[in-house]
Amino acid sequence: MSQTRRQYPFHVIEPKWQEVWERQQTFRAWNPGEIIPAGHPFAQRHGCDSGALPPKCYILDMFPYPSGAGLHVGHPEGYTATDILARYHRARGSHVLHPMGWDAFGLPAEQFAVKTGQHPRKATEANIATFKRQIRSLGFSYDWTRELDTTDPAYFKWTQWIFLQMYQAWFNPDTSRAEPIDTLPYPSGLTTDEERRAYRDGRRLAYVAEMPVWWCEQLGTVLANEEVLDGKSEVGDFPVIRKPMRQWMLRITAYAERLLQDLDTIDWSPALKEMQRHWIGRSEGAEVTFAVAPASTRPGSPAPAITVFTTRPDTLFGATYMVLSPEHPLVDPLTTDAQRPAVETYRRQAATKSDLERTELAKDKTGVFTGAYAVNPVNQEPIPVWIADYVLASYGTGAIMAVPAHDTRDLEFARAFNLPVRVVVQAPGSRDSIGYVDDGVSVNSGLITGLPTPEAKRKITAWLEERGLGRRTVNYKLRDWLFSRQRYWGEPFPIVWKRDARGRLHHEALPESALPVLPPHLTDYKPTASGQPPLARAQDWVNLPDGAMRETNTMPQWAGSCWYYLRYLDPRNPSAFCEPAAERYWMGAAAAAHPVPGERAGAGPGFPASEAPATRPGVDLYVGGTEHAVLHLLYARFWHKVLYDLGHVSTPEPFHRLVNQGLILGEDGQKMSKSRGNVINPDDVLKDYGADAFRLYEMFMGPLEMVKPWNTQGVEGVYRFLGRVWRLFVEDQSETEFDQAMTADASRARTWLDQVRLSPAVQDAAATPAQLKTLHACIRKVTEDLDHLRFNTAISALMVFVNEALAWECKPAAVLREFLILLQPLAPHLAEELWSKLTATFPTPPGARATPAPALSYQPWPAWDPSLLAEDMIEIPVQVNGKLRGRIRVPAGATSAEFEAAARACEKVQPFLAGKTVRKAIVVPGKLVNLVAV
RNA sequence: GCGCGCGUGGCGGAACGGCAGACGCGCCAGACUUAGGAUCUGGUCCCGAAAGGGGUGGAGGUUCAAAUCCUCUCGCGCGCACCA
C-alpha cells in the first residue's frame, strides 16, 4: 500500500496542523475568572471576558487504562465521535470542554513490577507516553492542559480526600441523604467513648467489616463480586476462593433507591438503564418472623426466631418447610445433635464450593435437615428447617420460607427431598396450580382465601404487621461495595489504626493536611508471606512515631475513575478538588444565568427553535464502552451523590447523556484478539491512510452504537473520498510538481506543500442556484445528522456534495468555504490545509459572512436557507392500490385536487385505471398520490 | 431460564408508516495510459427480450399504503443468572 501514490499528502498535512493546534492551544477551554488572551481564537469569537462565557458543552470520553499493548481500534471509535461533536459544538458557539486523561492504577503494571522488581510507575509512564502519542496522532481537539493521571499524587490526594468525606459521613434514613458524622444521634444506652465509637464506626459511609470475600491466591488480593466471573478472576482468569477478611466497605446500598429513581432523570439508553435497574434489583415484599418450635429450642437459651424475606406473603399458608443459607448464624444453635454431623459436612462443602461449582450444580438441589422445626405464624403449623446452598446468605435475611407449589426452586427442592407441596394460589383457567408462580387467586389460605394476589399480599401483610409478626420491606440485590485491595499500585487509605486503653484496635482518619498519603518505596511488590498486603513490607512507613499503624490496604482501580470528570473542571487546583465556580459553570448549575448568544438563540432559518442547544446539567455527553454499564457508572453516580449531599457538587447526577459505542470486530467478523491474529493496529492504518481517513472510516462503518466488523477496503473508500476533496481544491499541475519536489527533497515538505496552488476553477464567482442548493442540502443534512450522532450519513452527505461539486466548471469560493466548515469536525487536518489555501487567495469571498476568527475551528457553523432548497416543480410517485405505477411533475405549491388530477392524467397510470372506478384518492401533498381503484 | 437489542443486495449500511437498497466497498464494461493495484465515465437486488412480476429471516394482522406498527415464530448478539 505504501508503494502506491498517496491520494493526497496527509503525511505532511497532518503533523503540520497538529503542531499548529498545539502551539496555539487552539482547543483550550477557559474557566470562569481565567484570563483569556486576546489573540486566542476563542477570544476572537467570544471576547476575552471569562466572566461572560458562552454556554458550556462538556463532552467526555471514558478515559483509558494505558496498557502496554497500546491503542486499539476500539478506543478511537468513541474518541472520534466525541471529537467530531466537540468540534461541531465549538463551531455552533458552545464553550466546549473536551479533556483526556489516564486511569493508570491497575493490576497489569503491578504484576509486571512483581515479576521484574521495576517500580510500576516506570511501566505506567511508558504506557502513558505511547497512548498519548497515538491519541495525539489522530488530531483530537482535547484541551491537553487538563490532562489527568490518576496515579499522580496531586490527583489521588483528592481521591483520598473524597474517601475521607465518606468516612466522615453517615446516611440519615430520615432525610435519605449523607450527613456529616457529627450529626449522628446516639442511642441513649451508649455511655462510654468506646461504645459510641463502635456505634459511629458502624454507621459511616466508609466502614470496616469482616466479610466473606473472594480471595485470589495468584493475584494476592481480594476481589469484588463484580471482578469474579464464573469462579475465576476477571483479570488473569485465576481461581478464587471464599474467605472471611477484614475489609473496607462503602455503603452504596444506602443509595440504592436514589440510584434507581434518578435513572428517570437522565438520558441514557433504555438497555443501559435496565442493566442498572437489574443490578440494583429492587423488590418489594415482607419480612415474616417464624418462631422456632419449643421442642427445637435449647433449654435455658432465649427462644430464637427465624426472619425470612418474601415477595409473596400471600403464599404463607403454602409454606411447608424453611431453608437457611449454610452460613446463617442460627444454623448452629438450631441443629440437633443427631443432625449435626450431616449439617457440618454440608456447611464445609458449601464453603469450599466455587461459584462455578454452585452454578453447575444449580439444577440439582442439595440440602440437609437441621432437625429443628419452626412455627408458621399464620396457622401455628410446625414445619421443618433445612439448610441448602440455593439460599444465599447475602440476600434478604439469608433465610426463606419455602412454598414449593408456587416457586420453581422450592418445588425442585421439595421433589428432591420428598417434602409436601400445598397449593395456595389458584392458577387462572385450566392451568396447573402446582408450579404456578404468577398472580392468581388465594385458596386454602384462611383470611385471604378468595382474594386476588395483590390484595392478598396487602391484607396478609397488614395482618402480620398488626401482630408484630412481620412488616412490609423493600430489598435490593445491590451489595455494599468492597473497597479495599491487597495491592501496591493503588491509592493508600488516609487511615491509621490505634489501640484504645483496653488494647483494642480502632481506625482513625488522617487529617486533610496529611494528604496525599504516598505509597512507600518498595523493592518487592509481592504480598508478605503472612498474606499481608505488600505495603506491610514497609515497616517504617506503616509504624508512625505515635505508635499508630497505617492501613496497608489500597483502594480498587475504580476509585480514581469515580470522580475524574470533576477534576478535569479544575485540574491543577492545589487547594480543592475543584473550585465551586468552575464546578457550577461546567456542570451546568449556573447555566440559567448565561443567556444564549444571539447567534445561536436567533435560530436562523436553518436552526429550528427546537434545535437551539440547551445547556444540560452534568456532563452533556459521555461516550464509552458497554463494559462499564454497571460498575463504573454506578460507582461514579454513587460518589457523585455523596458529594452532592455534602454540598461539594451542584447536580445530583454526573452524566446527563450517555452513549455506548459498539464493539469493532476483526475483518473476519470475530472479536479482535491476539490469538485470532485479527487485531488491527491503528498505527498501521494511520501510516497508510492518515488520521483523517481513519477517523472518517471509523464513523462511516455504521451507527456508533452498533457492533460492526472492520474492513480495510472500506478505509480505502473514505481515503479516496478525501483524495477527491483534495482534487476539488488543488490544481493538478502543482500537485505533480509537489510530488516531484518531494522525491527530490522530502525534508522541505512543508515548503512544497505551501506551493501547491488552488485550482483555477475555484473562483470569486456568484454561486448558481443549483450550486447553492447542493450546498444547503449538505448543510442541512450534516447539521441534522450530527445533532443525532448519525456520523455515517453525515459523511455520506459530504460525499454527495463532493461528487456534484467535482463536475462544476466554476467552483465558487464562497461555496467551498462553507463546505470546509462542514468537513472540519470530521476530517480536521485536510479541512485546515484547504482552508488556509482558500482563505489565502479569497480572504472574504463575496456573499460570505464576516469572519470574526481566522481559525477554522472557531468559524461559525453555517445555517441552511430553506428557501434555497425549495423546488418550483416536484416529482412525486403515483400509486394505484398501493403499487407504484408512475411519476408526475407538479408545481410544489399545488393543491390536493391538482395532485389528484395530475395523477389521474398520468400516462403510465392510465392502463391501471382502465375499467375501474377510483373510490378514493390519498394525496399526501408533496409526497405521493395513491389512487384506490376497484 | 429471564431481560434487552438486532435480522434489508456479494459486503458495511440508507430509508418522518409514503419511490426499498442513499453513500461506500466489491464486481462488470469503457476511457486515459508503456503499465495500472492511480484517476475518470457508465453499469450493478432477482426473474423477464419487453410489458410486467417478485423482493427487507419466516407466518399472520392493522392500514389506502408496512423494512418501519401489532401478534406468533426462527436465527444471531449482549446482559443477568438459584436474588425468594
Side-chain angles (χ1 to χ4, degrees):
Chain A
M1 173 42 51
S2 35
Q3 313 305 323
T4 59
R5 189 173 163 225
R6 287 187 183 85
Q7 288 276 343
Y8 71 104
F10 63 84
H11 62 305
V12 184
I13 294 173
E14 291 178 356
K16 170 183 168 182
W17 289 100
Q18 286 164 18
E19 280 168 36
V20 169
W21 297 331
E22 189 175 356
R23 206 178 324 119
Q24 189 184 42
Q25 297 204 349
T26 311
F27 307 114
R28 181 150 169 204
W30 311 90
N31 273 11
E34 213 170 344
I35 294 159
I36 306 174
H40 192 276
F42 180 91
Q44 292 179 15
R45 171 124 183 221
H46 299 289
C48 295
D49 181 5
S50 68
L53 293 168
K56 65 91 185 184
C57 183
Y58 188 178
I59 297 181
L60 180 68
D61 291 299
M62 288 189 186
F63 67 164
Y65 172 75
S67 71
L71 213 64
H72 180 267
V73 289
H75 286 114
E77 187 191 9
Y79 302 163
T80 301
T82 54
D83 190 62
I84 291 165
L85 292 168
R87 288 172 176 274
Y88 168 65
H89 286 290
R90 211 175 273 121
R92 289 283 299 261
S94 287
H95 185 198
V96 172
L97 178 60
H98 188 43
M100 179 45 75
W102 318 107
D103 187 16
F105 275 129
L107 266 180
E110 177 156 352
Q111 282 178 300
F112 189 69
V114 168
K115 265 187 232 146
T116 62
Q118 186 199 63
H119 196 286
R121 172 155 304 286
K122 289 204 95 174
T124 302
E125 279 171 3
N127 292 348
I128 288 177
T130 303
F131 262 67
K132 190 168 175 181
R133 174 189 60 76
Q134 291 183 304
I135 288 177
R136 291 198 94 131
S137 69
L138 284 156
F140 296 136
S141 65
Y142 292 122
D143 177 356
W144 285 105
T145 68
R146 294 173 188 253
E147 179 182 359
L148 289 183
D149 168 1
T150 55
T151 68
D152 180 352
Y155 179 87
F156 71 69
K157 169 182 179 175
W158 298 105
T159 310
Q160 292 170 335
W161 181 86
I162 294 170
F163 173 82
L164 287 183
Q165 305 309 302
M166 295 201 240
Y167 180 83
Q168 303 290 16
W170 68 295
F171 191 83
N172 184 341
D174 295 334
T175 56
S176 288
R177 294 174 37 144
E179 293 178 14
I181 197 78
D182 338 321
T183 67
L184 177 70
Y186 294 90
S188 53
L190 304 182
T191 49
T192 68
D193 284 351
E194 280 79 12
E195 283 171 340
R196 289 163 67 94
R197 178 180 2 252
Y199 181 81
R200 184 169 62 237
D201 286 350
R203 271 152 193 81
R204 297 178 187 274
L205 290 186
Y207 65 98
V208 172
E210 183 85 7
M211 292 290 291
V213 296
W214 295 112
W215 169 261
C216 179
E217 192 60 46
Q218 270 84 347
L219 294 175
T221 182
V222 294
L223 297 171
N225 274 332
E226 306 85 89
E227 295 168 312
V228 177
L229 300 173
D230 292 336
K232 296 283 181 64
S233 61
E234 189 183 11
V235 176
D237 205 30
F238 300 122
V240 297
I241 58 164
R242 214 73 173 138
K243 186 171 168 179
M245 287 180 77
R246 178 186 62 79
Q247 297 295 331
W248 283 95
M249 307 291 293
L250 296 185
R251 206 176 295 284
I252 190 172
T253 51
Y255 282 84
E257 192 61 38
R258 280 170 60 189
L259 288 168
L260 186 66
Q261 292 290 327
D262 288 356
L263 285 174
D264 294 339
T265 69
I266 51 183
D267 183 10
W268 295 11
S269 73
L272 187 55
K273 287 186 181 185
E274 205 48 33
M275 275 196 240
Q276 292 227 336
R277 286 195 193 101
H278 277 139
W279 195 265
I280 295 166
R282 183 184 200 275
S283 62
E284 282 183 30
E287 280 186 3
V288 184
T289 302
F290 286 63
V292 172
S296 301
T297 309
R298 274 155 202 280
S301 52
I306 303 169
T307 301
V308 301
F309 173 72
T310 176
T311 55
R312 293 297 300 270
D314 61 300
T315 62
L316 207 38
F317 288 87
T320 53
Y321 63 101
M322 300 188 77
V323 186
L324 305 182
S325 66
E327 300 88 348
H328 198 281
L330 285 177
V331 174
D332 214 31
L334 288 182
T335 303
T336 60
D337 292 340
Q339 290 301 102
R340 191 164 303 277
V343 167
E344 290 302 324
T345 308
Y346 187 79
R347 291 182 89 178
R348 256 196 314 278
Q349 281 170 358
T352 55
K353 261 190 207 173
S354 70
D355 254 13
L356 186 64
E357 288 167 316
R358 283 204 182 190
T359 311
E360 274 175 355
L361 296 173
K363 285 163 218 128
D364 305 319
K365 293 275 183 291
T366 60
V368 177
F369 179 43
T370 61
Y373 288 83
V375 180
N376 190 335
V378 292
N379 55 14
Q380 308 309 312
E381 218 176 281
I383 54 176
V385 180
W386 287 62
I387 65 171
D389 67 2
Y390 84 90
V391 174
L392 307 176
S394 55
Y395 183 76
T397 62
I400 61 154
M401 62 173 201
V403 184
H406 308 293
D407 182 286
T408 315
R409 298 149 302 179
D410 295 346
L411 186 59
E412 284 169 12
F413 190 82
R415 290 201 164 135
F417 294 96
N418 249 324
L419 292 157
V421 177
R422 186 186 302 162
V423 169
V424 290
V425 177
Q426 177 72 54
S430 57
R431 294 185 57 176
D432 190 356
S433 291
I434 292 180
Y436 179 76
V437 299
D438 296 322
D439 284 8
V441 175
S442 288
V443 291
N444 304 323
S445 294
L447 73 158
I448 55 170
T449 297
L451 294 180
T453 300
E455 273 176 57
K457 281 181 180 174
R458 268 193 298 274
K459 187 161 181 187
I460 194 72
T461 307
W463 185 91
L464 290 165
E465 278 178 344
E466 276 164 33
R467 285 157 185 77
L469 296 169
R471 61 190 182 90
R472 201 185 150 271
T473 337
V474 176
N475 243 305
Y476 301 90
K477 284 199 251 181
L478 185 67
R479 304 269 67 92
D480 272 346
W481 177 11
L482 172 62
F483 194 65
S484 41
R485 299 290 183 277
Q486 291 66 49
R487 287 180 194 159
Y488 175 77
W489 198 226
E491 301 87 348
F493 282 80
I495 292 287
V496 293
W497 291 81
K498 292 183 174 174
R499 290 190 188 279
D500 63 17
R502 290 155 60 194
R504 284 195 309 208
L505 275 175
H506 67 267
H507 46 77
E508 277 182 19
L510 286 167
E512 203 177 312
S513 61
L515 303 183
V517 176
L518 302 172
H521 186 263
L522 292 184
T523 48
D524 184 351
Y525 301 96
K526 283 195 278 293
T528 68
S530 59
Q532 295 261 74
L535 293 191
R537 290 177 180 278
Q539 281 302 306
D540 47 350
W541 178 84
V542 172
N543 296 298
L544 297 174
D546 63 355
M549 291 176 299
R550 287 186 192 274
E551 169 64 60
T552 56
N553 282 298
T554 54
M555 298 185 198
Q557 195 185 345
W558 307 106
S561 59
C562 272
W563 73 284
Y564 73 111
Y565 58 94
L566 292 170
R567 188 60 176 172
Y568 281 138
L569 309 181
D570 194 9
R572 306 287 172 252
N573 194 328
S575 54
F577 77 93
C578 175
E579 203 229 337
E583 191 277 330
R584 283 198 305 276
Y585 174 67
W586 289 116
M587 294 301 279
H594 292 272
V596 180
E599 175 194 322
R600 307 174 71 202
F607 294 136
S610 61
E611 296 285 72
T615 306
R616 300 190 178 96
V619 172
D620 294 67
L621 179 69
Y622 192 24
V623 174
T626 342
E627 65 272 21
H628 296 118
V630 271
L631 305 183
H632 159 63
L633 289 172
L634 203 61
Y635 294 157
R637 291 180 64 216
F638 162 52
W639 278 37
H640 196 86
K641 286 183 186 306
V642 174
L643 292 172
Y644 176 71
D645 286 354
L646 299 175
H648 299 300
V649 299
S650 50
T651 63
E653 283 287 336
F655 313 121
H656 179 76
R657 177 151 192 226
L658 185 132
V659 172
N660 289 123
Q661 85 263 20
L663 202 64
I664 296 181
L665 306 174
E667 299 207 65
D668 53 1
Q670 302 279 87
K671 215 166 166 172
M672 282 192 199
S673 75
K674 268 188 214 153
S675 56
R676 286 202 186 88
N678 60 353
V679 176
I680 302 288
N681 182 344
D683 283 348
D684 297 340
V685 181
L686 252 64
K687 189 167 120 316
D688 290 344
Y689 304 101
D692 283 336
F694 182 79
R695 293 167 56 111
L696 223 49
Y697 176 63
E698 290 235 348
M699 294 300 102
F700 191 61
M701 287 167 81
L704 181 62
E705 302 187 62
M706 204 168 266
V707 178
K708 44 213 174 265
W710 184 271
N711 174 8
T712 297
Q713 285 180 326
V715 187
E716 299 227 29
V718 292
Y719 177 56
R720 287 205 281 256
F721 161 67
L722 292 175
R724 287 202 300 278
V725 173
W726 173 254
R727 291 190 294 274
L728 178 65
F729 282 78
V730 308
E731 188 204 20
D732 320 355
Q733 181 55 33
S734 73
E735 205 196 344
T736 310
E737 287 163 14
F738 171 84
D739 286 334
Q740 288 162 351
M742 282 296 284
T743 313
D745 182 5
S747 70
R748 297 179 61 199
R750 299 277 170 92
T751 309
W752 309 140
L753 179 62
D754 288 345
Q755 287 174 6
V756 173
R757 292 182 298 276
L758 217 49
S759 158
V762 180
Q763 289 167 17
D764 203 349
T768 66
Q771 289 171 334
L772 284 175
K773 199 164 125 191
T774 300
L775 173 67
H776 284 252
C778 183
I779 295 171
R780 177 181 173 169
K781 180 79 177 137
V782 173
T783 304
E784 289 177 347
D785 285 350
L786 292 186
D787 278 336
H788 295 96
L789 276 55
R790 295 188 297 237
F791 304 104
N792 54 335
T793 50
I795 293 166
S796 140
L798 293 172
M799 289 173 168
V800 170
F801 174 88
V802 170
N803 289 346
E804 291 188 33
L806 277 166
W808 296 344
E809 294 276 326
C810 161
K811 292 151 186 158
V815 172
L816 295 193
R817 201 178 166 282
E818 306 276 278
F819 166 74
L820 287 178
I821 300 173
L822 301 179
L823 179 68
Q824 178 267 133
L826 295 121
H829 308 87
L830 178 59
E832 286 270 19
E833 182 61 32
L834 296 175
W835 176 264
S836 78
K837 292 198 185 301
L838 187 71
T839 54
T841 313
F842 304 100
T844 43
R849 289 164 295 157
T851 32
L856 175 57
S857 305
Y858 287 86
Q859 284 298 320
W861 191 257
W864 72 89
D865 181 348
S867 68
L868 294 174
L869 294 174
E871 307 260 6
D872 296 339
M873 294 291 283
I874 53 172
E875 194 179 70
I876 60 160
V878 178
Q879 296 179 340
V880 177
N881 294 333
K883 282 188 196 289
L884 180 70
R885 294 305 182 189
R887 316 179 56 81
I888 50 172
R889 278 181 69 79
V890 279
T895 63
S896 291
E898 287 164 346
F899 273 110
E900 188 182 332
R904 285 170 181 269
C906 177
E907 232 176 274
K908 301 265 259 175
V909 168
Q910 294 284 330
F912 295 94
L913 295 178
K916 292 180 176 172
T917 325
V918 176
R919 299 265 303 256
K920 197 171 166 190
I922 315 285
V923 179
V924 185
K927 283 284 182 188
L928 102 172
V929 177
N930 184 11
L931 301 172
V932 184
V934 185

